[in-house]
Amino acid sequence: DIIKARMERSGVRRDICDSTISRLYPAGTLTDLLGGSGTLNLKTYGAGGLSTMAIRGANSMQTPVVWNGINLQNVNNNTVDLSLLPVFLFDRIAVQPGSSSAAWGSGAIGGVVKLSSLPRDRTHTGNYFRNPYSNHKVVLEYGSFGATMFGVKVAGGKGKWNYDLKLYRQFSLNNFWYTNTSTTDQRREQLSHATMLQHGFMTEVAYNDKFVLRVWVQETNREIPPTMLQSANEATQHDYACRIVGEW
């Protein structure tokens, strides 16, 4: 048998975001969750904008993000936009800094961020559900500047079959007020054309813990706000991703 244990070796440092910390950001992205970490250096471009990271002085191209062992780096620019990765979809988020992360390839000399799911028949404390079982979770959050998030998680199993389904929708106007320091009078202005809408789902189906099928589909529409030197901007950005992975 081949056992994947690159993240589980003894003596290897791993900073794991436990369930308590993840519950503080149910409607956030990895930018919100990892922004306060002393291990990571995040570079963000405003609410809903591009967000990249680096570990131990390396750049974002040398810090891959892997989802159940699959590298999520963009094939065009070799980076990962953390603002496109909602916390709600992942049961376990771990950061592995240091040279030991080079086990993921020569491009991971700074570190690696691992996103994964818990076994479908276990709780966050490691206890097993009775078989058959069902587990449901609903998350609803509302905040300032039109920020809303709605997520539903449904999981269950019977016999040798297990399944897990997560649906979510995030929306934000980002119409906050700021001081325009580029003007002579430094007047107060309200940010415009900065709406962000993101929705998608992730599902996993497993048979006898030997075959697993994972599907992750999401769509993000973002308006690019004008800079302080612009009066208006009509640029938009559309991101669509469909990831299908089968494991045996």
Side-chain angles (χ1 to χ4, degrees):
D1 294 337
I2 299 177
I3 300 176
K4 295 181 295 182
R6 288 183 290 185
M7 284 288 289
E8 308 301 333
R9 292 175 179 172
S10 61
V12 175
R13 176 182 170 184
R14 294 184 301 273
D15 300 329
I16 300 176
C17 301
D18 57 26
S19 58
T20 302
I21 298 177
S22 299
R23 289 193 190 102
L24 298 177
Y25 305 94
T29 62
L30 288 191
T31 303
D32 307 311
L33 181 66
L34 303 177
S37 173
T39 306
L40 300 177
N41 178 26
L42 266 67
K43 180 183 292 185
T44 62
Y45 294 88
L50 175 67
S51 176
T52 59
M53 68 172 178
I55 301 178
R56 301 178 69 246
N59 56 41
S60 59
M61 294 185 292
Q62 298 166 333
T63 310
V65 178
V66 296
W67 168 58
N68 292 302
I70 305 299
N71 195 335
L72 299 182
Q73 286 179 308
N74 192 305
V75 295
N76 295 319
N77 53 29
N78 207 32
T79 60
V80 178
D81 187 356
L82 299 184
S83 63
L84 299 178
L85 305 177
V87 176
F88 177 76
L89 292 182
F90 312 109
D91 298 320
R92 186 175 183 180
I93 301 172
V95 179
Q96 179 180 325
S99 58
S100 59
S101 63
W104 293 92
S106 59
I109 61 176
V112 63
V113 177
K114 181 183 179 184
L115 312 174
S116 57
S117 304
L118 291 172
R120 288 146 298 281
D121 55 351
R122 297 189 191 182
T123 65
H124 281 281
T125 58
N127 298 323
Y128 282 88
F129 290 111
R130 293 181 178 179
N131 197 336
Y133 71 93
S134 61
N135 184 24
H136 311 281
K137 180 181 179 180
V138 178
V139 175
L140 178 62
E141 186 170 303
Y142 178 80
S144 304
F145 314 116
T148 58
M149 185 273 183
F150 177 74
V152 178
K153 176 181 178 180
V154 180
K158 184 176 182 181
K160 296 182 179 181
W161 288 93
N162 305 95
Y163 70 90
D164 184 292
L165 174 64
K166 303 184 186 78
L167 301 168
Y168 78 99
R169 182 184 187 274
Q170 294 178 329
F171 176 81
S172 180
L173 289 174
N174 295 320
N175 56 346
F176 51 85
W177 289 87
Y178 66 97
T179 301
N180 193 340
T181 57
S182 64
T183 59
T184 55
D185 55 353
Q186 296 191 4
R187 59 179 178 269
R188 296 275 294 173
E189 296 181 355
Q190 189 176 29
L191 188 66
S192 61
H193 198 262
T195 301
M196 189 275 290
L197 172 63
Q198 184 180 79
H199 55 93
F201 73 91
M202 178 185 293
T203 183
E204 300 179 359
V205 179
Y207 175 75
N208 199 27
D209 286 335
K210 292 187 179 294
F211 174 76
V212 182
L213 177 64
R214 296 185 173 96
V215 180
W216 177 10
V217 178
Q218 74 174 27
E219 183 180 12
T220 307
N221 292 288
R222 292 182 288 189
E223 296 178 341
I224 309 301
T227 65
M228 290 190 295
L229 300 177
Q230 292 178 305
S231 59
N233 186 20
E234 299 299 327
T236 60
Q237 179 176 337
H238 175 75
D239 296 276
Y240 177 79
C242 178
R243 303 178 177 96
I244 303 176
V245 178
E247 298 180 8
W248 180 261

